Amino acid sequence: MTAMAVIEESRTRASYPSLAGKRVLVTGGATGIGAGMVEAFAAQKARVAFIDIDQQAGETIASRFSPGGFHACDLRDLEALAATIGRIAAALGGIDILINNAANDDRHRIGEVTPAYWDERMATNLRHLFFAAQAVIPAMKAAGGGAIINFGSISWHLGLPDLVLYQTAKAAIEGMTRSMARDLGRDGIRVTTIVPGNVQTPRQEQWYTPEGENEIVAAQCLPGRIQPADVAALALFLASDDARMCTGHEYFVDAGWR
């Protein structure tokens, strides 16, 4: 995409006045889809903080889109996570929007899984979403509402190989979303899941050859590769007041990959 094309595309992107000034927390915001979230919410004039384990990448993204917004943290460490979210909430005066994005889709085979690896994968891909939500809910209730957006994955809907633990966690996230939406709805807190398809990021490109990418595009209803900005566009809508009656469900941005 040329520089002029990027400029023209940015002019056609939706603007959500209700997001201006909102206090947004993104997990896994240093790379890939998460970095796209940080950029998109910052462009809406939201106050964006983000957590990531990657110090160098986090500082780079913060310097571009969210000065002072990066907080290094290993989300598998729940005490560190709670302390980090507490510091962020204190600095921002609360959190209105939580983007539970962080995950890791390392490949693995069933016969290689040990109890320790199971626990580590659930801590990486499922557990922290619940406890991050738990940490921000009191402030959201006090503010009269908020939005929690969890990230699922197309992978378990397709039954892709060598991802059994990742897909188990991602399937559970959709169930957790529905339960939380029911429990929190009367407090004005909406909970949704975004289910991305195969998004073109450096990490995903390590798993697929050009031929494999062509097969994915051929299986989509729409041509072309999904970009982080396409996923962020859905997150902006779901976080905004325009989506005030959207909760408890999953929303796909997968170009019709089935």
Side-chain angles (χ1 to χ4, degrees):
M1 184 177 291
T2 66
M4 184 58 67
V6 171
I7 293 172
E8 289 301 320
E9 181 182 6
S10 67
R11 289 174 178 167
T12 65
R13 293 285 182 182
S15 177
Y16 296 95
S18 63
L19 293 178
K22 286 298 176 80
R23 301 157 298 185
V24 181
L25 172 58
V26 180
T27 67
T31 59
I33 293 173
M37 295 289 149
V38 173
E39 178 180 3
F41 278 96
Q44 299 286 329
K45 297 181 172 57
R47 300 168 62 195
V48 185
F50 67 100
I51 295 171
D52 206 286
I53 197 172
D54 190 331
Q55 182 85 35
Q56 183 175 354
E59 291 174 353
T60 298
I61 292 298
S63 69
R64 295 178 61 194
F65 306 114
S66 181
F70 170 56
H71 299 260
C73 180
D74 184 341
L75 297 174
R76 294 170 297 185
D77 182 340
L78 295 182
E79 289 187 4
L81 174 61
T84 300
I85 292 177
R87 288 194 297 272
I88 292 170
L92 296 179
I95 295 172
D96 302 302
I97 299 163
L98 170 64
I99 309 294
N100 263 328
N101 162 75
N104 180 288
D105 62 349
D106 281 352
R107 272 48 176 176
H108 50 271
R109 297 182 181 277
I110 291 175
E112 300 169 348
V113 174
T114 64
Y117 188 63
W118 169 280
D119 290 343
E120 190 277 333
R121 289 292 87 185
M122 293 303 118
T124 298
N125 292 312
L126 175 61
R127 189 178 66 178
H128 66 84
L129 281 79
F130 175 86
F131 287 99
Q134 184 187 66
V136 303
I137 285 168
M140 288 185 177
K141 286 183 177 180
I148 298 171
I149 300 176
N150 299 318
F151 267 73
S153 172
I154 192 67
S155 63
W156 81 266
H157 291 273
L158 298 174
L160 299 181
D162 299 330
L163 285 167
V164 62
L165 300 191
Y166 178 76
Q167 292 177 159
T168 297
K170 290 299 185 178
I173 286 167
E174 292 187 25
M176 183 177 70
T177 293
R178 296 197 176 202
S179 297
M180 281 189 171
R182 176 60 65 187
D183 289 348
L184 300 173
R186 299 300 176 182
D187 294 301
I189 300 172
R190 300 183 295 105
V191 189
T192 55
T193 293
I194 290 178
V195 183
N198 189 271
V199 182
Q200 191 175 32
T201 66
R203 177 170 178 80
Q204 287 305 311
E205 288 182 327
Q206 75 175 310
W207 301 120
Y208 296 99
T209 64
E211 292 76 18
E213 290 188 343
N214 290 336
E215 289 177 3
I216 291 170
V217 173
Q220 296 174 173
C221 298
L222 299 173
R225 297 300 310 280
I226 304 165
Q227 301 300 313
D230 299 315
V231 183
L234 179 55
L236 293 176
F237 168 72
L238 290 174
S240 75
D241 290 353
D242 295 53
R244 68 184 188 88
M245 299 303 284
C246 295
T247 195
H249 293 288
E250 56 276 4
Y251 297 85
F252 287 71
V253 53
D254 66 345
W257 184 22
R258 297 288 182 176

